[in-house]
Amino acid sequence: MKRIIAGVCPDCGKRTRFLTWYYEWYGPTQVCLRCGRVWQDGEWMPLPSTRGARAQSIAKAKARWRQSGAQ
């Protein structure tokens, strides 16, 4: 199951939307659409230390959202 949730990002501190995926046996995976930070089961996931890592994270999340179909 997937949803779009609005809230305040703990990383960037801004009001934003999160792309969120829920799994049966694991906690949710969330991606902030403002800063690109990823959380899995409530824990921050490390971002690679490359230029544009946050923009790539957002782009990957959007592509995954589109590929996963309607729910």
Side-chain angles (χ1 to χ4, degrees), residues 43-62:
E43 296 185 21
W44 288 12
M45 295 291 103
L47 288 169
S49 58
T50 58
R51 182 176 293 207
R54 290 180 182 262
Q56 289 174 358
S57 174
I58 294 168
K60 285 180 185 178
K62 287 181 178 181

Side-chain angles (χ1 to χ4, degrees), residues 2 5-6 9 13 17-18 21 23-24 27 40 44-46 51 54 56 61 63 66 71:
K2 64 181 186 176
I5 299 172
C9 176
R17 287 190 166 80
F18 300 92
W21 290 269
Y23 303 99
E24 187 173 348
Q40 288 182 340
W44 288 12
M45 295 291 103
R51 182 176 293 207
R54 290 180 182 262
Q56 289 174 358
R66 290 182 193 111
Q71 280 190 351

Side-chain angles (χ1 to χ4, degrees), residues 5-68:
I5 299 172
V8 177
C9 176
D11 190 29
C12 64
K14 308 270 181 169
R15 182 138 176 90
T16 185
R17 287 190 166 80
F18 300 92
L19 296 181
T20 307
W21 290 269
Y22 297 95
Y23 303 99
E24 187 173 348
W25 302 107
Y26 304 104
T29 298
Q30 297 179 308
V31 180
C32 173
L33 290 178
R34 186 174 292 255
C35 71
R37 178 60 76 174
V38 178
W39 290 271
Q40 288 182 340
D41 200 17
E43 296 185 21
W44 288 12
M45 295 291 103
L47 288 169
S49 58
T50 58
R51 182 176 293 207
R54 290 180 182 262
Q56 289 174 358
S57 174
I58 294 168
K60 285 180 185 178
K62 287 181 178 181
R64 181 178 169 200
W65 184 267
R66 290 182 193 111
Q67 290 175 352
S68 63

